[in-house]
Amino acid sequence: MKKILIFITVFFAAISNLGAQKTMFTSYSFNVESKNEQTVLQLYKHYFEKHPNKGVTATLYENHFKGAQVATHELVFSGPAELMGAGYDSKSNDAWLLFQSELSKYCKGVSAAIGKRISGFGDTSSTIYSVQDVLFLIIKDEGQYKAQFDAFWSKNTSPNTRISFGSVGTRIQDGTTHYIVRSYKDFTTKFTDDIQHAKGYTEMVNSLKDIRTFTTSKTRTVLGKW
């Protein structure tokens, strides 16, 4: 957890340069032993239910298919750049410091990232879509990729799904520049999704293969959203 606190401090300067962007995120990955997972969940729930940050969403995820290169959990803050910046700039109070002290007993920081959302399609309601596939990519031409992404997904988002595309400003060593998140209402929706057979899907994939490289991927589930 100490590593996560260090990353938060580092991101202060980065956030000040993102004021013109509409929506951004910061993400912190960490490991928790299975015996402590419920304790950590309750700590997050207790803190954020009592100390909401207006206009900023905090989402706690568990990475479902865990491995040596995938942390067990991830916390993501998202919201307008101005409100995100105000939250990071505000002085830490006693409740936050106590919360961080308690978390440090159970959490080991792994990595952090900062970025912005560029495009998104699908259900716009406040319903929580609890299952997400996250793909990380290296993209050579953002404009070309966005144009093809928007052209296909604006017309082909499956029922009970969402999809978003964005850029990553800081990611550890693997060269990742962008991400795609596909969100599903549940695992049944994920496992029965058949988007590969949609008209134009193969053409879109083939048109982008020369400008994008996949780096890593993961499946995560929502534990709490505040």
Side-chain angles (χ1 to χ4, degrees):
M1 203 63 194
K2 291 181 179 178
K3 290 183 178 180
I4 293 179
L5 295 176
I6 292 172
F7 280 123
I8 289 176
T9 302
V10 171
F11 284 151
F12 284 166
I15 289 172
S16 67
N17 293 323
L18 294 171
Q21 298 168 4
K22 292 184 179 180
T23 304
M24 59 167 295
F25 74 88
T26 52
S27 170
Y28 307 96
S29 297
F30 54 95
N31 284 323
V32 180
E33 293 185 20
S34 57
K35 64 181 181 181
N36 296 322
E37 289 179 350
Q38 284 303 309
T39 299
V40 169
L41 174 58
Q42 290 306 311
L43 285 170
Y44 273 104
K45 183 177 180 181
H46 178 77
Y47 180 81
F48 284 117
E49 286 183 352
K50 288 192 171 184
H51 303 89
N53 192 348
K54 186 178 180 181
V56 174
T57 300
T59 308
L60 179 65
Y61 297 94
E62 178 182 19
N63 287 318
H64 189 74
F65 302 112
K66 303 178 183 69
Q69 304 302 316
V70 180
T72 63
H73 292 73
E74 182 177 8
L75 178 68
V76 177
F77 293 104
S78 58
E82 294 81 2
L83 295 179
M84 289 282 285
Y88 276 82
D89 285 335
S90 62
K91 185 178 179 180
S92 298
N93 55 35
D94 291 341
W96 173 260
L97 295 175
L98 178 60
F99 172 54
Q100 295 297 299
S101 177
E102 288 298 307
L103 282 179
S104 67
K105 300 175 183 178
Y106 309 105
C107 304
K108 184 178 180 180
V110 175
S111 63
I114 187 171
K116 65 174 180 176
R117 181 176 176 177
I118 297 172
S119 294
F121 301 99
D123 180 17
T124 58
S125 73
S126 60
T127 302
I128 296 176
Y129 279 38
S130 59
V131 180
Q132 297 186 345
D133 288 335
V134 186
L135 306 176
F136 295 104
L137 312 90
I138 299 172
I139 295 178
K140 298 178 182 178
D141 187 328
E142 181 182 288
Q144 179 184 345
Y145 193 95
K146 180 183 184 304
Q148 296 291 89
F149 180 92
D150 291 359
F152 177 80
W153 289 108
S154 62
K155 300 177 181 178
N156 292 284
T157 307
S158 305
N160 296 320
T161 69
R162 297 171 178 144
I163 189 165
S164 61
F165 166 62
S167 63
V168 179
T170 302
R171 189 160 178 82
I172 306 302
Q173 294 182 346
D174 64 5
T176 293
T177 60
H178 293 78
Y179 70 88
I180 293 172
V181 176
R182 288 206 71 197
S183 302
Y184 308 90
K185 187 175 181 180
D186 47 36
F187 272 106
T188 298
T189 304
K190 169 180 164 56
F191 291 153
T192 58
D193 184 65
D194 196 28
I195 195 64
Q196 291 85 355
H197 292 95
K199 182 179 180 180
Y201 180 83
T202 300
E203 290 82 355
M204 176 195 66
V205 171
N206 288 338
S207 69
L208 296 173
K209 64 182 180 180
D210 292 334
I211 64 169
R212 63 103 175 96
T213 302
F214 292 106
T215 55
T216 56
S217 65
K218 60 186 176 183
T219 298
R220 64 190 185 188
T221 55
V222 176
L223 295 179
K225 190 171 185 178
W226 305 278

